[in-house]
Structures are given as structure tokens and as C-alpha cells.
Amino acid sequence: MTDDAELRRLAERRADMKLAFRSHLTAYLIINAGLFAIDWVTSPGIDWAYWPAIGWGLGLASHAVVTFADPVATREKLVEAELRKLRERR
């Protein structure tokens, strides 16, 4: 596979991941707004709606980390830090 084709495949994969996260975030906001509205209308104050928001929010945060963290850049930063340490010890 050529470098351009491989880069294109990687770019498409990253774009798909970002679009999937955007859909996940939109569903989270709409559904949890509805749950808070139901909770507020059916009982005085907010009693239970924050529990699904917290649980789902943890899953959404995990999805964000997987989507937006760049493992290659993170690895490069760690390698550079280790190289600096090793050079300082010389």
C-alpha cells in the first residue's frame, strides 16, 4: 500500500471516529435533557436524572479519550522525555 493510500485510510478512520463521537454526544445531550425534564415535571426537584447522566457521562468521557487522544504523539513525547533523561545521565 502506498503512503498516500495509508494516510488516507488513517484520515478516514479518524474522521469516522470523530463523527461517531459527535453522534454519541448529541444523543447524550438530548436524552439526558429529556430525562431531567421528566424528572422535574413528575416530582419536585431533581431526584434521579443525574444518575444516568453520570453513568453515561463516564462512558462519553471514555469515548472522548479514545477519539481525541493521539497515541503516536503521546508515545513520541514519552520517547523524547526518556532520551533527555538518558542524555542528562551521560
Side-chain angles (χ1 to χ4, degrees):
M1 188 179 284
T2 66
D3 287 340
D4 284 342
E6 190 171 326
L7 286 175
R8 170 95 182 163
R9 184 186 59 77
L10 180 61
E12 288 174 351
R13 183 173 178 270
R14 287 184 179 182
D16 289 344
M17 289 175 63
K18 289 176 182 179
L19 288 171
F21 176 77
R22 190 178 298 173
S23 296
H24 188 181
L25 177 62
T26 301
Y28 173 84
L29 294 173
I30 291 170
I31 292 171
N32 279 294
L35 290 175
F36 275 97
I38 290 168
D39 192 15
W40 182 69
V41 168
T42 59
S43 62
I46 304 297
D47 297 327
W48 53 265
Y50 58 89
W51 289 112
I54 290 169
W56 193 352
L58 291 171
L60 186 64
S62 174
H63 191 172
V65 168
V66 168
T67 301
F68 295 106
D70 187 358
V72 174
T74 302
R75 183 178 185 278
E76 283 299 315
K77 288 177 187 175
L78 290 171
V79 167
E80 289 299 322
E82 289 300 320
L83 279 171
R84 273 195 305 276
K85 287 179 188 177
L86 291 171
R87 287 180 182 138
E88 289 172 1
R89 290 184 188 169
R90 282 189 180 181

